[in-house]
Amino acid sequence: MSTFRAPKGTFDLIPPDSAAFLRVREVMAQTVRLAGYQYVETPAFEDTTLFKRGVGESTDIVNKEMYTFTTQGGDSVTLRPEGTASVLRAVLQANLEKAGQLPVKLYYSGSYYRYERPQKGRYRHFSQVGAEALGAQDPQLDAELIILAVDAYRALGLKNVRLLLNTLGDATCRPVYRAALQDYLRALDLDEATRARIELNPLRVLDDKRAEVQAQLTDAPRIVDYLCEDCKAYHDEVRGLLTAAGVAFTDDPKLVRGLDYYTRTTFEFVHDGLGSQSAVGGGGRYDGLSELLGGPSLPSVGWALGVDRTVLAMEAEGVLERDVPRVDVFAVPLNDEARTLFFGVITELRRRGVSADTVFGGRGLKGAMKAADRSGARYALVAGERDLAENVVQLKDLASGEQSPVAVDQIIPTIKEKLS
Ligand code: ATP
Ligand code: MG
């Protein structure tokens, strides 16, 4: 062990657990690719102003959680705390919204950074897969994204992810609701910081985690009672589409999300096996964000799923596959001639799409067999002087222990056949 440790609130992804993380990312990505979402990758840092504006000055993320620093050149940059602002910035910069058909459908997968109080499921460096559909206002698009997230969780074997659904209204009805909520909140017994929040971002007060605050919110006005006709019809259609697709949801009138730019559909995926860090993913519609960043009107919807918490949820449900085999075939040469032969064999196996490995650095037979077992391989190839004299190698099934000779020129086809 060296004297260095990973920074507080971060952890390394190392085998064997790293395979599960990779798989979660891949299943999420594969699920949205099926719906035509294409990969986008943006820098890990951006101009600080992008997040201040795009995430919102009144949010916890901007107020408390950003990693902001001044570069050697005197610019203020921030490690990305989330993906949406960067993706939209990239789309506007490349004029993607003008180049082709709308919506532009994009997905991303990567690291995000927030200066948080580290605890289980809450880290300073974490990983998200996100999907965004930019440039269309259509309830089917909101439903599509929600269904895709549900399908991704299902594909990972999760059964207990719950969907919470709400709408935040739009520029027509939200201000009326906001004012009514402010009136209600101002009459409550709240601390200084929360009072300030009432004026800046009153919807966020609904999201307050403290029991003494929640107790006072039971009779708070609900957005559903203030929706304009368009927003109500839109929300009803999203709900209908989800139901038709067999997606269960719970209406949560207090679900507001931390970000200022959300309009209409808003949703969160929660898992009850995770303690207080129960949100495994979330998203919603952000029709106003593009204009906020100086772009054209570009109504959009998206989500971000937390990879780390999804892995924890899989662990909680007992569906996390541990000890994923490293390779299918492991070669154990007993002399130099076999070593040369097997080097060629494993090269060829890999070229044919079969994962294979061998020992390096001159381990003895015992060490080599141990390495074969540890690799999780289904088959070991073993050969020594006597085998090679007969032009065969031994093919050993590592689960059953069964072993049989295979002619040297039949090694590849035999293994391909057994693995198929
Ligand atoms: P929370 O209320 O738990 O702070 P959030 O609303 O800040 O979550 P989002 O910004 O919506 O989270 O991010 C989407 C998902 O990313 C979350 O649902 C969660 O799974 C994950 N996530 C967010 N922050 C962290 C973190 N610090 N560590 C690990 N995962 C995180
Ligand atoms: Mg947060």
Side-chain angles (χ1 to χ4, degrees):
M1 202 177 75
S2 85
T3 49
F4 293 108
R5 316 277 304 163
K8 186 176 172 194
T10 72
F11 60 92
D12 303 308
L13 280 184
I14 50 171
D17 288 351
S18 50
F21 276 76
L22 213 52
R23 177 154 172 271
V24 168
R25 291 189 188 126
E26 186 46 33
V27 168
M28 290 170 171
Q30 175 57 24
T31 308
V32 295
R33 279 199 297 265
L34 284 174
Y37 289 74
Q38 290 179 295
Y39 183 64
V40 61
E41 188 168 318
T42 62
F45 57 87
E46 298 269 357
D47 281 347
T48 299
T49 334
L50 174 71
F51 298 123
K52 280 200 172 160
R53 229 191 280 163
V55 177
E57 303 260 15
S58 66
T59 59
D60 281 352
I61 291 182
V62 171
N63 280 319
K64 304 188 232 166
E65 298 172 2
M66 295 212 301
Y67 278 95
T68 298
F69 57 99
T70 306
T71 66
Q72 308 276 353
D75 300 318
S76 177
V77 299
T78 295
L79 297 183
R80 58 185 184 191
E82 56 98 51
T84 305
S86 308
V87 169
L88 185 51
R89 196 263 312 132
V91 166
L92 296 176
Q93 183 177 332
N95 287 315
L96 275 189
E97 84 283 5
K98 292 188 196 128
Q101 210 187 313
L102 295 177
V104 180
K105 289 177 162 188
L106 299 172
Y107 79 91
Y108 57 83
S109 174
S111 294
Y112 295 83
Y113 310 86
R114 296 185 193 176
Y115 192 76
E116 306 223 48
R117 196 165 65 77
Q119 48 203 297
K120 190 179 180 196
R122 189 175 296 287
Y123 312 108
R124 292 180 172 177
H125 166 244
F126 61 100
S127 162
Q128 289 185 338
V129 173
E132 317 280 352
L134 304 111
Q137 196 182 58
D138 184 334
Q140 286 207 352
L141 203 52
D142 304 42
E144 165 179 294
L145 273 164
I146 294 174
I147 293 165
L148 287 171
V150 168
D151 288 350
Y153 291 129
R154 280 187 192 161
L156 288 166
L158 285 166
K159 295 205 166 66
N160 304 327
V161 175
R162 294 189 293 119
L163 166 60
L164 307 178
L165 185 68
N166 194 19
T167 174
L168 297 175
D170 64 4
T172 309
C173 51
R174 172 109 135 256
V176 185
Y177 171 66
R178 192 176 186 274
L181 182 63
Q182 280 178 321
D183 281 347
Y184 177 88
L185 295 174
R186 286 186 192 119
L188 301 182
D189 176 24
L190 298 165
D191 60 282
E192 203 60 37
T194 313
R195 296 205 148 274
R197 187 171 273 175
I198 296 174
E199 306 312 316
L200 269 174
N201 190 351
L203 272 70
R204 279 283 290 159
V205 179
L206 295 177
D207 198 26
D208 201 303
K209 305 273 189 303
R210 292 168 299 180
E212 68 271 23
V213 177
Q214 279 302 327
Q216 300 184 68
L217 296 175
T218 32
D219 296 327
R222 301 178 321 155
I223 179 75
V224 276
D225 302 321
Y226 288 79
L227 292 180
C228 61
E229 280 307 309
D230 285 352
C231 283
K232 190 178 174 329
Y234 195 97
H235 196 51
D236 286 344
E237 188 159 350
V238 172
R239 294 163 49 93
L241 289 163
L242 293 178
T243 304
V247 170
F249 57 86
T250 308
D251 291 307
D252 183 352
K254 292 210 177 89
L255 180 70
V256 293
R257 317 256 328 123
L259 312 180
D260 275 351
Y261 51 67
Y262 285 98
T263 51
R264 292 197 174 170
T265 313
T266 184
F267 52 90
E268 192 156 79
F269 297 98
V270 292
H271 195 279
D272 298 323
L274 301 184
S276 48
Q277 272 58 252
S278 61
V280 290
R285 178 157 279 286
Y286 48 97
D287 291 344
L289 183 58
S290 175
E291 282 133 310
L292 209 66
L293 299 183
S297 163
L298 201 66
S300 306
V301 56
W303 50 238
L305 309 185
V307 173
D308 313 78
R309 290 187 199 170
T310 300
V311 169
L312 290 174
M314 291 169 70
E315 206 169 17
E317 286 195 30
V319 295
L320 190 66
E321 235 186 281
R322 283 245 155 70
D323 304 322
V324 180
R326 211 156 58 70
V327 288
D328 286 325
V329 177
F330 200 94
V332 179
L334 303 180
N335 64 11
D336 280 346
E337 197 189 339
R339 209 171 127 74
T340 306
L341 172 75
F342 281 159
F343 191 79
V345 169
I346 60 175
T347 299
E348 192 53 30
L349 280 169
R350 293 166 184 166
R351 286 177 174 162
R352 307 272 203 100
V354 176
S355 57
D357 199 7
T358 185
V359 276
F360 296 93
R363 303 263 171 272
L365 171 62
K366 235 171 113 187
M369 282 317 291
K370 211 175 191 177
D373 273 332
R374 283 220 184 119
S375 74
R378 290 175 56 189
Y379 298 102
L381 289 167
V382 187
E385 204 178 321
R386 218 180 315 152
D387 301 304
L388 295 185
E390 290 169 29
N391 212 27
V392 298
V393 303
Q394 301 297 324
L395 181 63
K396 184 170 180 182
D397 183 322
L398 287 170
S400 68
E402 242 170 74
Q403 184 171 311
S404 53
V406 175
V408 166
D409 62 359
Q410 291 304 307
I411 300 174
I412 309 272
T414 307
I415 288 177
K416 290 268 318 176
E417 154 106 41
K418 280 189 181 284
L419 285 174
S420 70

